[in-house]
Amino acid sequence: SLHSACAYRAQLLYFVADPATLEDPSEAVCYHSDGLLLVNEQGQIQACGDWAELSRSLPAGTKTVDLSGKIIMPGMIDTHLHFPQTDIIASPASGLLPWLETYTFPTEGRFGDSDHAREVAGVFLDELLRNGTTTALVYGSVHRQSVDAFFEESHERNLRMIAGKVMMDRNCPDYLQDTAESGARDSEDLIKRWHGKGRQLYALTPRFAPTSTPEQLAACGELARAYPDVFLQTHVAENKDEIKWVSELFPKNRSYLDVYDSFGLLRPRAIYGHSIWLDEQDRARMHDTGSIAAHCPTSNLFLASGLFDFQSIRHSKVLHTLATDVGGGTSFSMLRTMNEAHKVARLNNYHLTAASMFYMATEGAAHALDMQGQIGTLAPGAEADFIVMDPKATPLMARRSTMLNSLEEQLFVLALLGDDRCIQASYSAGRCVHQRDH
Ligand code: GUN
Ligand code: ZN
């Protein structure tokens, strides 16, 4: 859909490299204290730079929006969450497996109803946009209708979303089971219908090893080979009881990750939620195959699953991203997620900088997902998915922001104190899809 070109005046911030890998991390950041972001009629970023320089060459009559004092950055990317779990967020349980049985499975049972699925998908997408998340990797329920409903709502809003139908054919209630055959058939139908339609992309979604038979994982592996540019998402090594269960179900495999490896599910564009209890050999396999670890700190603390091992993941150079894991996670906000990621890393004796966390939520995720240059950046040519952040959204933040000495301090305050109140607006393909009222 066409709309007129628009220029935005604000602070501009995006990343051109991973700050954790540079001797001088400031070289990873592209920052304009008084910047101009020009979005074209196709919903792409046309130009990004200093106001003083670019404003002189703006075509006469270009609409200009003054957002001085605000920060424009790329929309955030949440690499692991479940839309059918929107309505059970903040449901207490003693751990992952009781939480799944008590809350998750019963609520997901309702998503065979397309009307219900559409209604929840709409609420879920609005909540993502309210929190400044413009792209997410989303689990549906086992029902194909749930994913049709999700993509219809996303397509209507012209959002860049990645989603898939859960496959599970054992160890869960009958009303939530597919079969190896029907799960593969439905997934392939959904790929053909949705992968690459508008901005929608598909992810093969075997829930986790305990709820799939070897036959289902094998069928999933075949699809993963047949459709190499389709994503794949699942859970791995989240919880000690879960891992013990996997070792009983798959006694021949060396580790939990090795189960997926043996079915050909480790590859680029494969995203492994949690990835907490991995060993050195697992990390080497993830690195060698280009697989991605999605760290979900609010979920890991809430369900007492464990602490993500930042030091080892980074030492092994495994691709890794941040994610909320709603509804196991306790917030849709990637800022709140950064807050808890920083603390989890501290307990791992690792200093996770704000620059590194904002990189992970934007350019880093795009890089990991093989979508670099498309999303997660303000560089010209990218899709104009961006957010307007108010660094003084609360009285405390306003006060704190008068006492900052560096960009890192500014970003750290946003990461540790920020939430949806800081997201003044969200734009998708150049169109405003959320505006916070005051
Ligand atoms: N493992 C299998 N299913 C789930 C889920 O829905 N949430 C989380 N956190 N872990 C899982
Ligand atoms: Zn999950």
Side-chain angles (χ1 to χ4, degrees):
S1 66
L2 296 181
H3 36 95
S4 55
C6 192
Y8 300 88
R9 183 178 193 173
Q11 298 173 57
L12 304 178
L13 173 81
Y14 65 102
F15 291 86
V16 293
D18 179 354
T21 63
L22 297 183
E23 210 161 296
D24 177 3
S26 71
E27 285 174 5
V29 188
C30 188
Y31 176 73
H32 301 275
S33 56
D34 182 13
L36 187 158
L37 184 74
L38 181 62
V39 176
N40 68 22
E41 290 89 343
Q42 283 77 44
Q44 296 161 330
I45 292 165
Q46 184 75 35
C48 175
D50 286 330
W51 174 265
E53 194 183 317
L54 290 180
S55 59
R56 283 187 269 123
S57 53
L58 272 186
T62 305
K63 191 179 146 207
T64 301
V65 179
D66 189 357
L67 297 166
S68 299
K70 306 297 187 286
I71 304 170
I72 290 181
M73 58 176 263
M76 289 187 273
I77 302 168
D78 183 345
T79 54
H80 179 118
L81 79 170
H82 304 253
F83 99 80
Q85 297 174 14
T86 302
D87 290 334
I88 53 154
I89 190 170
S91 295
S94 58
L96 171 66
L97 301 177
W99 177 82
L100 284 173
E101 282 220 18
T102 312
Y103 301 104
T104 315
F105 290 155
T107 210
E108 291 192 10
R110 296 185 59 196
F111 285 73
D113 174 351
S114 295
D115 291 338
H116 178 67
R118 259 194 101 122
E119 194 261 332
V120 176
V123 170
F124 172 89
L125 290 170
D126 290 345
E127 196 61 30
L128 285 180
L129 297 169
R130 264 175 33 72
N131 282 282
T133 298
T134 50
T135 290
L137 264 102
V138 180
Y139 287 61
S141 70
V142 73
H143 316 90
R144 54 186 293 169
Q145 310 90 285
S146 74
V147 175
D148 276 324
F150 177 82
F151 278 137
E152 281 161 17
E153 288 292 313
S154 173
H155 185 60
E156 209 169 282
R157 292 164 170 79
N158 198 24
L159 307 176
R160 176 61 82 187
M161 289 287 160
I162 309 167
K165 180 203 102 73
V166 160
M167 290 185 259
M168 47 179 172
D169 65 346
R170 65 165 166 175
N171 294 326
C172 62
D174 289 345
Y175 61 83
L176 277 180
Q177 285 185 26
D178 56 9
T179 66
E181 199 185 54
S182 75
R185 191 188 342 108
D186 287 350
S187 298
E188 189 164 24
D189 286 350
L190 288 164
I191 289 170
K192 288 180 174 156
R193 193 158 39 214
W194 288 108
H195 187 65
K197 175 166 179 176
R199 306 183 75 204
Q200 311 314 309
L201 296 166
Y202 196 79
L204 292 164
T205 309
R207 182 178 208 112
F208 67 156
T211 48
S212 285
T213 58
E215 291 70 31
Q216 180 160 71
L217 294 174
C220 185
E222 272 177 47
L223 287 170
R225 270 185 296 281
Y227 296 96
D229 69 327
V230 159
F231 295 83
L232 188 152
Q233 57 184 351
T234 188
H235 299 84
V236 74
E238 177 178 5
N239 166 288
K240 289 280 181 68
D241 296 331
E242 169 210 23
I243 293 166
K244 182 161 170 289
W245 193 17
V246 171
S247 72
E248 289 158 10
L249 292 167
F250 298 92
K252 295 209 183 76
N253 289 97
R254 193 195 69 79
S255 69
Y256 188 167
L257 187 81
D258 185 56
V259 174
Y260 297 126
D261 199 3
S262 64
F263 292 102
L265 303 183
L266 295 184
R267 70 165 181 37
R269 288 198 163 183
I271 299 91
Y272 284 84
H274 308 294
S275 300
I276 298 170
W277 305 100
L278 302 176
D279 64 17
E280 206 51 53
Q281 236 175 298
D282 292 330
R283 284 187 291 267
R285 280 303 290 159
M286 289 198 74
H287 171 266
D288 293 347
T289 56
S291 307
I292 304 154
H295 172 40
C296 311
T298 74
S299 171
N300 296 164
L301 296 175
F302 180 64
L303 294 173
S305 302
L307 302 174
F308 186 77
D309 187 349
F310 263 99
Q311 290 220 28
S312 299
I313 286 279
R314 291 205 160 169
H315 186 256
S316 312
K317 298 186 161 52
V318 176
L319 291 169
H320 55 285
T321 54
L322 278 180
T324 63
D325 191 32
V326 163
T330 52
S331 173
F332 277 82
S333 170
M334 290 296 284
L335 297 174
R336 287 208 181 191
T337 301
M338 290 177 194
N339 173 312
E340 300 205 351
H342 176 81
K343 295 170 185 171
V344 165
R346 278 263 42 98
L347 285 168
N348 187 233
N349 199 25
Y350 187 84
H351 181 81
L352 188 58
T353 66
S356 191
M357 294 193 287
F358 277 92
Y359 167 78
M360 285 203 283
T362 57
E363 171 76 10
H367 168 71
L369 299 173
D370 193 23
M371 297 178 79
Q372 221 168 355
Q374 197 173 8
I375 56 171
T377 180
L378 300 181
E383 299 170 5
D385 289 1
F386 62 92
I387 58 176
V388 180
M389 299 232 302
D390 180 0
K392 302 181 178 182
T394 70
L396 182 63
M397 291 183 81
R399 183 174 171 83
R400 183 68 179 85
S401 69
T402 64
M403 306 170 195
L404 299 170
N405 300 305
S406 66
L407 184 59
E408 172 64 19
E409 286 190 10
Q410 158 100 80
L411 293 178
F412 196 77
V413 167
L414 275 167
L416 273 286
L417 298 182
D419 54 31
D420 54 306
R421 291 170 295 182
C422 299
I423 311 301
Q424 182 167 309
S426 300
Y427 287 76
S428 181
R431 202 170 54 87
C432 184
V433 285
H434 164 67
Q435 179 86 53
R436 192 171 175 82
D437 32 58
H438 294 279

